[in-house]
Amino acid sequence: MAKKHQTYLDPGSTPCIYTCMTCHSHLISQKDIISRAFQGRHGPAYFVDRVINITIGAKEERMLMTGMHTVADISCMICQTKLGWKYIFAFEHNQKYKENKCIVERAKISKEVAWDT
């Protein structure tokens, strides 16, 4: 198996970087958060446009609070902690905006602030 090399977010381009709670691998830039008002399996979650350093699991159909969706679980590529899921397909027209976006559970990530030097 090939060694996994993580990508790092530029702390100069965003005031906040969200990392994996377990291994502190960079995951989300603050500018990629679309909404903070979503729910995950374990409580509050972020709805985000882009997540880095993840692996995407198998697609499956799930009945969620907003209807039926095809989703795939996302995990940290370094430590394999499950972080949330990616929306692959929304069956209802009013939910199409979620396609190719991700839910990242707040309990699985930590916020790191870039300090000026």
Side-chain angles (χ1 to χ4, degrees), residues 4-86:
K4 300 170 187 164
H5 296 282
Q6 67 176 301
T7 303
Y8 295 92
L9 293 166
D10 177 17
S13 68
T14 182
C16 248
I17 293 173
Y18 292 86
T19 62
C20 174
M21 183 72 82
T22 305
C23 70
H24 298 284
S25 175
H26 288 193
L27 298 172
I28 307 165
S29 169
Q30 186 174 9
K31 66 183 180 185
D32 290 321
I33 297 174
I34 298 168
S35 175
R36 291 171 168 80
F38 276 69
Q39 279 295 118
R41 285 188 199 123
H42 304 102
Y46 293 138
F47 180 59
V48 298
D49 190 40
R50 185 177 86 112
V51 186
I52 63 170
N53 297 320
I54 59 167
T55 57
I56 301 171
K59 294 189 288 186
E60 62 180 78
E61 290 184 3
R62 272 191 213 149
M63 179 57 79
L64 302 173
M65 291 170 56
T66 55
M68 185 64 78
H69 297 275
T70 302
V71 298
D73 286 335
I74 59 172
S75 302
C76 175
M77 77 173 199
I78 304 301
C79 68
Q80 287 74 49
T81 298
K82 278 194 179 174
L83 302 168
W85 62 86
K86 179 176 184 172

Coordinates of all heavy atoms in Angstrom, one line a residue, residues 4-86:
K4 N 0.4 7.5 2.3 CA -0.6 8.6 2.1 C 0.1 10.0 2.5 O 0.6 10.1 3.6 CB -1.8 8.4 2.9 CG -2.5 7.2 2.6 CD -3.6 6.9 3.6 CE -4.2 5.5 3.3 NZ -5.0 5.1 4.4
H5 N 0.1 10.9 1.6 CA 0.6 12.2 1.8 C -0.5 13.2 1.9 O -1.3 13.3 1.0 CB 1.6 12.6 0.7 CG 2.8 11.7 0.7 ND1 3.9 11.9 1.6 CD2 3.1 10.7 -0.1 CE1 4.8 10.9 1.3 NE2 4.4 10.2 0.3
Q6 N -0.6 13.9 3.0 CA -1.7 14.8 3.1 C -1.4 16.2 2.5 O -0.2 16.5 2.3 CB -2.1 15.0 4.6 CG -1.0 15.7 5.5 CD -1.5 15.9 6.9 OE1 -2.6 16.6 7.0 NE2 -0.9 15.4 7.8
T7 N -2.5 16.9 2.2 CA -2.4 18.2 1.6 C -2.6 19.2 2.8 O -3.3 18.9 3.7 CB -3.5 18.4 0.6 OG1 -3.4 17.4 -0.4 CG2 -3.5 19.8 -0.1
Y8 N -1.9 20.3 2.7 CA -2.0 21.3 3.8 C -2.7 22.6 3.2 O -2.4 23.0 2.1 CB -0.6 21.7 4.3 CG 0.0 20.6 5.1 CD1 0.9 19.7 4.4 CD2 -0.2 20.3 6.4 CE1 1.5 18.6 5.0 CE2 0.4 19.3 7.1 CZ 1.2 18.4 6.4 OH 1.8 17.4 7.0
L9 N -3.6 23.2 4.0 CA -4.2 24.4 3.7 C -3.2 25.6 4.0 O -2.5 25.5 5.0 CB -5.5 24.6 4.4 CG -6.6 23.6 4.0 CD1 -7.7 23.6 5.1 CD2 -7.2 23.9 2.7
D10 N -3.3 26.6 3.2 CA -2.4 27.8 3.5 C -3.1 28.6 4.6 O -4.1 29.2 4.4 CB -2.3 28.6 2.2 CG -1.5 29.9 2.3 OD1 -0.8 30.0 3.4 OD2 -1.6 30.8 1.5
P11 N -2.4 28.7 5.7 CA -3.0 29.5 6.8 C -3.1 31.0 6.5 O -3.9 31.7 7.1 CB -2.0 29.3 8.0 CG -0.8 28.6 7.4 CD -1.2 28.1 6.1
G12 N -2.4 31.5 5.5 CA -2.5 32.9 5.1 C -3.7 33.2 4.3 O -4.1 34.4 4.2
S13 N -4.4 32.2 3.7 CA -5.5 32.4 2.9 C -6.8 32.3 3.7 O -7.9 32.6 3.1 CB -5.6 31.4 1.8 OG -5.8 30.1 2.3
T14 N -6.8 31.9 4.9 CA -8.0 31.8 5.7 C -7.7 32.0 7.2 O -6.6 31.6 7.7 CB -8.7 30.4 5.5 OG1 -9.9 30.3 6.3 CG2 -7.7 29.2 5.9
P15 N -8.6 32.6 7.9 CA -8.3 32.9 9.3 C -8.4 31.6 10.2 O -7.9 31.5 11.3 CB -9.3 33.9 9.8 CG -10.5 33.7 8.8 CD -9.8 33.3 7.5
C16 N -9.1 30.6 9.7 CA -9.4 29.4 10.5 C -9.2 28.2 9.6 O -9.7 28.1 8.4 CB -10.8 29.4 10.9 SG -11.0 29.6 12.6
I17 N -8.6 27.1 10.2 CA -8.5 25.8 9.5 C -9.1 24.8 10.4 O -8.9 24.8 11.6 CB -7.0 25.5 9.2 CG1 -6.5 26.4 8.2 CG2 -6.9 24.0 8.8 CD1 -5.0 26.3 7.9
Y18 N -10.0 23.9 9.9 CA -10.6 22.9 10.7 C -9.8 21.6 10.4 O -9.6 21.3 9.2 CB -12.1 22.7 10.3 CG -12.9 23.9 10.8 CD1 -13.0 25.1 10.0 CD2 -13.5 23.9 12.1 CE1 -13.7 26.2 10.4 CE2 -14.2 25.1 12.5 CZ -14.3 26.2 11.7 OH -15.0 27.3 12.1
T19 N -9.5 20.9 11.4 CA -8.6 19.7 11.3 C -9.4 18.5 11.9 O -10.3 18.6 12.7 CB -7.3 19.9 12.0 OG1 -7.5 20.1 13.4 CG2 -6.5 21.0 11.5
C20 N -8.9 17.3 11.6 CA -9.4 16.0 12.2 C -9.1 16.1 13.7 O -8.0 16.4 14.1 CB -8.7 14.8 11.5 SG -9.1 13.3 12.3
M21 N -10.1 15.8 14.5 CA -9.9 15.8 15.9 C -8.9 14.7 16.4 O -8.2 14.9 17.4 CB -11.3 15.5 16.6 CG -11.3 15.5 18.1 SD -11.1 17.2 18.8 CE -12.8 17.7 18.7
T22 N -8.7 13.6 15.7 CA -7.9 12.5 16.1 C -6.4 12.8 15.7 O -5.5 12.6 16.5 CB -8.4 11.2 15.4 OG1 -9.7 11.0 15.8 CG2 -7.5 10.0 15.9
C23 N -6.1 13.1 14.4 CA -4.8 13.2 13.9 C -4.3 14.6 13.5 O -3.2 14.8 13.1 CB -4.5 12.3 12.8 SG -5.4 12.7 11.3
H24 N -5.2 15.6 13.6 CA -5.0 17.0 13.2 C -4.6 17.2 11.8 O -4.0 18.2 11.4 CB -4.0 17.6 14.2 CG -4.5 17.6 15.6 ND1 -5.5 18.5 16.0 CD2 -4.2 16.8 16.6 CE1 -5.7 18.3 17.3 NE2 -5.0 17.3 17.7
S25 N -5.0 16.3 10.9 CA -4.8 16.5 9.5 C -5.8 17.7 9.0 O -6.9 17.8 9.4 CB -5.2 15.2 8.7 OG -5.2 15.4 7.4
H26 N -5.3 18.5 8.1 CA -6.1 19.6 7.6 C -7.3 19.1 6.8 O -7.1 18.1 6.0 CB -5.3 20.5 6.7 CG -4.3 21.4 7.4 ND1 -3.6 22.4 6.9 CD2 -3.8 21.4 8.7 CE1 -2.8 23.0 7.7 NE2 -2.9 22.4 8.9
L27 N -8.5 19.7 7.0 CA -9.7 19.2 6.3 C -10.4 20.3 5.6 O -10.8 20.2 4.5 CB -10.6 18.5 7.3 CG -10.2 17.3 8.0 CD1 -11.1 16.9 9.1 CD2 -9.9 16.2 7.1
I28 N -10.7 21.4 6.3 CA -11.6 22.4 5.8 C -11.1 23.8 6.1 O -10.6 24.1 7.1 CB -13.0 22.4 6.5 CG1 -13.6 21.0 6.4 CG2 -14.0 23.4 5.9 CD1 -14.8 20.7 7.4
S29 N -11.2 24.7 5.0 CA -10.9 26.1 5.2 C -12.2 26.8 5.6 O -13.3 26.4 5.1 CB -10.4 26.7 3.9 OG -10.4 28.0 3.9
Q30 N -12.2 27.8 6.4 CA -13.4 28.5 6.9 C -14.2 29.0 5.7 O -15.4 29.0 5.7 CB -13.0 29.6 7.8 CG -14.2 30.3 8.4 CD -13.9 31.3 9.5 OE1 -12.7 31.6 9.7 NE2 -14.8 31.8 10.2
K31 N -13.5 29.4 4.6 CA -14.2 29.9 3.5 C -15.1 28.9 2.7 O -15.9 29.2 1.9 CB -13.3 30.6 2.5 CG -12.3 29.7 1.9 CD -11.3 30.4 1.0 CE -10.4 29.4 0.4 NZ -9.3 30.0 -0.4
D32 N -14.8 27.6 3.0 CA -15.6 26.5 2.3 C -16.8 26.1 3.1 O -17.5 25.3 2.6 CB -14.6 25.3 2.1 CG -13.6 25.6 1.0 OD1 -13.9 26.3 0.0 OD2 -12.5 25.1 1.2
I33 N -17.1 26.7 4.2 CA -18.3 26.4 5.0 C -19.4 27.1 4.4 O -19.4 28.4 4.3 CB -18.1 26.7 6.5 CG1 -17.0 25.8 7.1 CG2 -19.4 26.5 7.2 CD1 -16.6 26.2 8.5
I34 N -20.5 26.4 4.0 CA -21.6 27.0 3.4 C -22.7 27.3 4.5 O -23.3 28.4 4.5 CB -22.3 26.1 2.3 CG1 -21.3 25.8 1.2 CG2 -23.6 26.6 1.8 CD1 -21.7 24.7 0.2
S35 N -22.8 26.4 5.4 CA -23.8 26.5 6.5 C -23.3 25.8 7.8 O -22.7 24.8 7.7 CB -25.2 26.0 6.1 OG -26.1 26.0 7.2
R36 N -23.7 26.4 8.9 CA -23.4 25.8 10.2 C -24.6 25.3 10.8 O -24.6 24.8 12.0 CB -22.7 26.9 11.1 CG -21.4 27.3 10.7 CD -20.9 28.5 11.5 NE -19.4 28.7 11.3 CZ -18.9 29.3 10.2 NH1 -19.7 29.8 9.3 NH2 -17.6 29.5 10.1
A37 N -25.7 25.2 10.1 CA -27.0 24.9 10.7 C -27.5 23.5 10.3 O -28.7 23.2 10.2 CB -28.1 25.9 10.3
F38 N -26.6 22.5 10.1 CA -27.0 21.2 9.7 C -26.8 20.2 10.8 O -26.1 20.5 11.8 CB -26.1 20.7 8.4 CG -26.7 21.2 7.1 CD1 -26.7 22.5 6.8 CD2 -27.3 20.3 6.2 CE1 -27.2 23.0 5.6 CE2 -27.8 20.7 5.0 CZ -27.8 22.1 4.7
Q39 N -27.4 19.0 10.7 CA -27.3 18.0 11.7 C -26.6 16.8 11.1 O -26.9 16.4 10.0 CB -28.7 17.6 12.2 CG -29.3 18.5 13.2 CD -28.6 18.5 14.5 OE1 -28.1 19.6 14.9 NE2 -28.5 17.4 15.2
G40 N -25.7 16.2 11.9 CA -25.1 14.9 11.5 C -25.7 13.8 12.4 O -26.6 14.0 13.1
R41 N -25.0 12.7 12.3 CA -25.5 11.5 13.1 C -25.3 11.8 14.6 O -26.0 11.3 15.5 CB -24.7 10.3 12.8 CG -25.1 9.7 11.5 CD -24.3 8.3 11.3 NE -24.4 8.0 9.9 CZ -23.3 7.7 9.2 NH1 -22.1 7.8 9.7 NH2 -23.4 7.4 7.9
H42 N -24.2 12.6 15.0 CA -23.8 12.8 16.3 C -24.0 14.2 16.8 O -23.4 14.7 17.7 CB -22.4 12.4 16.6 CG -22.1 11.0 16.2 ND1 -21.5 10.6 15.0 CD2 -22.4 9.8 16.8 CE1 -21.4 9.3 14.9 NE2 -22.0 8.8 16.0
G43 N -24.9 15.0 16.1 CA -25.2 16.4 16.6 C -24.9 17.4 15.5 O -24.9 17.0 14.3
P44 N -24.5 18.6 15.9 CA -24.3 19.7 14.9 C -23.3 19.4 13.9 O -22.3 18.7 14.2 CB -23.9 20.9 15.7 CG -24.4 20.5 17.1 CD -24.3 19.1 17.2
A45 N -23.5 19.9 12.6 CA -22.5 19.6 11.6 C -22.4 20.8 10.6 O -23.3 21.7 10.6 CB -23.0 18.4 10.8
Y46 N -21.3 20.9 9.9 CA -21.1 21.9 8.9 C -21.5 21.3 7.5 O -21.2 20.2 7.2 CB -19.7 22.4 8.8 CG -19.2 23.1 10.1 CD1 -18.0 22.9 10.6 CD2 -20.0 24.1 10.7 CE1 -17.5 23.5 11.7 CE2 -19.6 24.7 11.8 CZ -18.3 24.5 12.3 OH -17.9 25.2 13.4
F47 N -22.1 22.1 6.7 CA -22.4 21.8 5.3 C -21.3 22.5 4.5 O -21.2 23.8 4.6 CB -23.8 22.3 4.9 CG -24.2 22.0 3.5 CD1 -24.2 20.7 3.0 CD2 -24.5 23.0 2.6 CE1 -24.6 20.5 1.7 CE2 -24.9 22.8 1.3 CZ -24.9 21.5 0.8
V48 N -20.4 21.8 3.8 CA -19.2 22.4 3.2 C -19.1 22.1 1.7 O -19.6 21.1 1.2 CB -17.9 22.0 3.9 CG1 -17.9 22.4 5.4 CG2 -17.7 20.5 3.8
D49 N -18.5 23.0 1.0 CA -18.2 22.9 -0.4 C -17.1 22.0 -0.7 O -17.1 21.3 -1.7 CB -18.0 24.3 -1.0 CG -18.0 24.3 -2.5 OD1 -18.9 23.6 -3.1 OD2 -17.2 25.0 -3.1
R50 N -16.0 22.0 0.1 CA -14.8 21.2 -0.2 C -14.2 20.7 1.1 O -14.1 21.5 2.1 CB -13.9 22.2 -0.9 CG -12.6 21.5 -1.4 CD -11.8 22.5 -2.2 NE -11.0 23.3 -1.3 CZ -9.6 23.2 -1.3 NH1 -9.0 22.5 -2.1 NH2 -8.9 23.9 -0.4
V51 N -13.7 19.5 1.1 CA -13.0 18.9 2.2 C -11.8 18.2 1.5 O -11.9 17.5 0.5 CB -13.8 17.8 2.9 CG1 -13.1 17.3 4.1 CG2 -15.2 18.3 3.3
I52 N -10.6 18.4 2.2 CA -9.4 17.7 1.7 C -8.9 16.6 2.6 O -9.4 16.5 3.7 CB -8.2 18.7 1.5 CG1 -7.8 19.4 2.8 CG2 -8.6 19.8 0.4 CD1 -6.5 20.2 2.7
N53 N -8.0 15.8 2.2 CA -7.5 14.7 3.0 C -8.5 13.7 3.5 O -8.5 13.3 4.6 CB -6.7 15.3 4.2 CG -5.5 16.1 3.7 OD1 -4.8 15.7 2.7 ND2 -5.2 17.2 4.4
I54 N -9.4 13.3 2.6 CA -10.5 12.4 2.9 C -10.5 11.2 1.9 O -9.9 11.3 0.8 CB -11.9 13.0 3.0 CG1 -12.2 13.6 1.6 CG2 -12.0 14.0 4.1 CD1 -13.7 14.0 1.4
T55 N -11.1 10.1 2.4 CA -11.4 9.0 1.5 C -12.9 9.0 1.4 O -13.6 9.3 2.4 CB -10.8 7.7 1.9 OG1 -11.3 7.4 3.3 CG2 -9.3 7.7 1.9
I56 N -13.5 8.6 0.3 CA -14.9 8.5 0.1 C -15.3 7.0 0.0 O -14.7 6.3 -0.8 CB -15.3 9.2 -1.2 CG1 -14.9 10.7 -1.0 CG2 -16.8 9.1 -1.4 CD1 -15.1 11.5 -2.3
G57 N -16.2 6.6 0.9 CA -16.7 5.2 0.9 C -17.6 4.9 -0.2 O -17.9 5.6 -1.1
A58 N -18.3 3.7 -0.1 CA -19.2 3.2 -1.0 C -20.5 4.0 -1.0 O -21.0 4.5 0.0 CB -19.5 1.8 -0.7
K59 N -21.1 4.2 -2.2 CA -22.4 4.9 -2.3 C -23.5 4.0 -1.7 O -23.5 2.8 -1.9 CB -22.7 5.2 -3.7 CG -21.8 6.2 -4.4 CD -22.3 6.7 -5.7 CE -22.1 5.6 -6.8 NZ -22.5 6.0 -8.1
E60 N -24.5 4.7 -1.1 CA -25.7 4.0 -0.6 C -26.8 5.0 -0.5 O -26.6 6.2 -0.4 CB -25.4 3.4 0.8 CG -25.1 4.4 1.9 CD -24.8 3.7 3.2 OE1 -23.7 3.1 3.4 OE2 -25.8 3.7 4.0
E61 N -28.0 4.5 -0.6 CA -29.2 5.3 -0.5 C -29.6 5.4 1.0 O -29.7 4.3 1.6 CB -30.3 4.8 -1.3 CG -30.1 5.0 -2.8 CD -31.2 4.5 -3.7 OE1 -32.3 4.1 -3.2 OE2 -31.1 4.6 -4.9
R62 N -29.8 6.6 1.5 CA -30.2 6.8 2.9 C -31.4 7.7 3.0 O -31.5 8.7 2.3 CB -29.1 7.4 3.7 CG -28.1 6.5 4.2 CD -27.2 7.2 5.2 NE -25.9 6.5 5.2 CZ -24.7 7.1 5.4 NH1 -24.7 8.3 5.7 NH2 -23.6 6.4 5.3
M63 N -32.3 7.4 3.9 CA -33.4 8.3 4.2 C -32.9 9.2 5.3 O -32.7 8.8 6.4 CB -34.7 7.5 4.6 CG -35.8 8.4 5.0 SD -36.3 9.5 3.7 CE -37.3 8.4 2.7
L64 N -32.7 10.5 4.9 CA -32.3 11.5 5.9 C -33.5 12.4 6.3 O -34.6 12.2 5.8 CB -31.2 12.3 5.2 CG -29.9 11.5 4.8 CD1 -28.9 12.4 4.0 CD2 -29.3 10.9 6.0
M65 N -33.2 13.4 7.1 CA -34.3 14.2 7.6 C -35.0 15.0 6.4 O -36.2 15.3 6.5 CB -33.8 15.2 8.6 CG -33.3 14.6 9.9 SD -32.4 15.6 11.0 CE -33.5 17.0 11.3
T66 N -34.3 15.2 5.4 CA -34.8 16.0 4.2 C -35.2 15.1 3.1 O -35.4 15.6 2.0 CB -33.8 17.1 3.8 OG1 -32.5 16.4 3.5 CG2 -33.6 18.1 4.8
G67 N -35.3 13.8 3.3 CA -35.7 12.9 2.2 C -34.6 11.9 1.8 O -33.6 11.8 2.4
M68 N -34.9 11.2 0.7 CA -34.0 10.2 0.2 C -32.8 10.8 -0.6 O -33.0 11.7 -1.4 CB -34.7 9.2 -0.7 CG -33.9 8.0 -1.1 SD -33.4 7.0 0.2 CE -34.9 6.0 0.5
H69 N -31.6 10.3 -0.2 CA -30.4 10.8 -0.9 C -29.5 9.6 -1.2 O -29.5 8.7 -0.4 CB -29.6 11.8 0.0 CG -30.4 13.1 0.3 ND1 -30.4 14.1 -0.5 CD2 -31.2 13.4 1.3 CE1 -31.1 15.1 0.0 NE2 -31.6 14.7 1.1
T70 N -28.6 9.7 -2.2 CA -27.5 8.8 -2.4 C -26.3 9.5 -1.8 O -26.0 10.6 -2.1 CB -27.3 8.5 -3.9 OG1 -28.5 8.0 -4.4 CG2 -26.1 7.5 -4.0
V71 N -25.7 8.9 -0.8 CA -24.6 9.5 -0.1 C -23.4 8.5 0.0 O -23.6 7.3 -0.2 CB -25.0 9.9 1.3 CG1 -26.1 11.0 1.3 CG2 -25.4 8.7 2.2
A72 N -22.2 9.0 0.4 CA -21.1 8.1 0.7 C -20.4 8.7 1.9 O -20.2 9.9 2.0 CB -20.1 8.1 -0.5
D73 N -20.1 7.8 2.8 CA -19.4 8.3 4.0 C -18.0 8.8 3.7 O -17.4 8.3 2.7 CB -19.2 7.1 5.0 CG -20.5 6.8 5.7 OD1 -21.4 7.6 5.8 OD2 -20.6 5.6 6.2
I74 N -17.6 9.8 4.4 CA -16.2 10.3 4.2 C -15.4 10.1 5.5 O -16.0 10.2 6.6 CB -16.2 11.8 3.8 CG1 -16.9 12.7 4.8 CG2 -16.8 12.0 2.4 CD1 -16.7 14.2 4.6
S75 N -14.1 9.8 5.3 CA -13.3 9.5 6.5 C -11.9 10.2 6.2 O -11.5 10.5 5.1 CB -13.0 8.0 6.6 OG -14.2 7.3 6.7
C76 N -11.3 10.5 7.3 CA -9.9 11.1 7.3 C -9.0 10.1 6.6 O -9.0 8.9 7.0 CB -9.4 11.4 8.7 SG -7.7 12.0 8.8
M77 N -8.2 10.5 5.6 CA -7.4 9.6 4.9 C -6.1 9.2 5.7 O -5.5 8.2 5.4 CB -6.9 10.1 3.6 CG -5.9 11.2 3.6 SD -5.4 11.5 1.9 CE -3.8 12.3 2.2
I78 N -5.8 9.9 6.8 CA -4.7 9.6 7.6 C -5.0 8.5 8.7 O -4.4 7.5 8.8 CB -4.1 10.8 8.2 CG1 -3.7 11.9 7.2 CG2 -2.9 10.5 9.1 CD1 -2.7 11.4 6.1
C79 N -6.1 8.8 9.5 CA -6.4 8.0 10.6 C -7.7 7.2 10.4 O -8.1 6.4 11.3 CB -6.5 8.8 11.9 SG -7.9 10.0 11.9
Q80 N -8.4 7.4 9.3 CA -9.7 6.7 9.0 C -10.9 7.0 9.9 O -11.9 6.3 9.9 CB -9.5 5.2 8.9 CG -8.8 4.7 7.7 CD -7.3 5.0 7.8 OE1 -6.6 4.7 8.8 NE2 -6.7 5.6 6.7
T81 N -10.8 8.1 10.7 CA -12.0 8.5 11.5 C -13.1 8.9 10.6 O -12.9 9.7 9.7 CB -11.6 9.7 12.4 OG1 -10.5 9.3 13.3 CG2 -12.8 10.2 13.2
K82 N -14.3 8.4 10.8 CA -15.5 8.8 10.0 C -15.8 10.2 10.4 O -16.0 10.6 11.6 CB -16.7 7.9 10.3 CG -16.6 6.7 9.5 CD -17.9 6.0 9.4 CE -17.8 4.7 8.6 NZ -19.0 3.9 8.6
L83 N -15.9 11.1 9.4 CA -16.2 12.5 9.6 C -17.6 13.0 9.2 O -18.0 14.0 9.8 CB -15.2 13.3 8.7 CG -13.7 13.1 9.0 CD1 -12.9 13.7 7.9 CD2 -13.3 13.6 10.4
G84 N -18.2 12.3 8.4 CA -19.6 12.7 7.9 C -19.9 11.9 6.6 O -19.5 10.8 6.4
W85 N -20.5 12.7 5.7 CA -20.8 12.1 4.4 C -20.9 13.1 3.3 O -20.9 14.3 3.5 CB -22.2 11.3 4.4 CG -23.4 12.2 4.7 CD1 -24.1 12.9 3.8 CD2 -24.0 12.4 6.0 NE1 -25.1 13.6 4.5 CE2 -25.0 13.3 5.8 CE3 -23.7 12.0 7.3 CZ2 -25.8 13.8 6.9 CZ3 -24.5 12.5 8.3 CH2 -25.5 13.3 8.1
K86 N -20.8 12.6 2.0 CA -20.9 13.4 0.8 C -22.2 13.1 0.1 O -22.5 11.9 0.0 CB -19.7 13.1 -0.1 CG -19.7 13.9 -1.4 CD -18.5 13.6 -2.2 CE -18.5 14.5 -3.5 NZ -17.3 14.5 -4.2

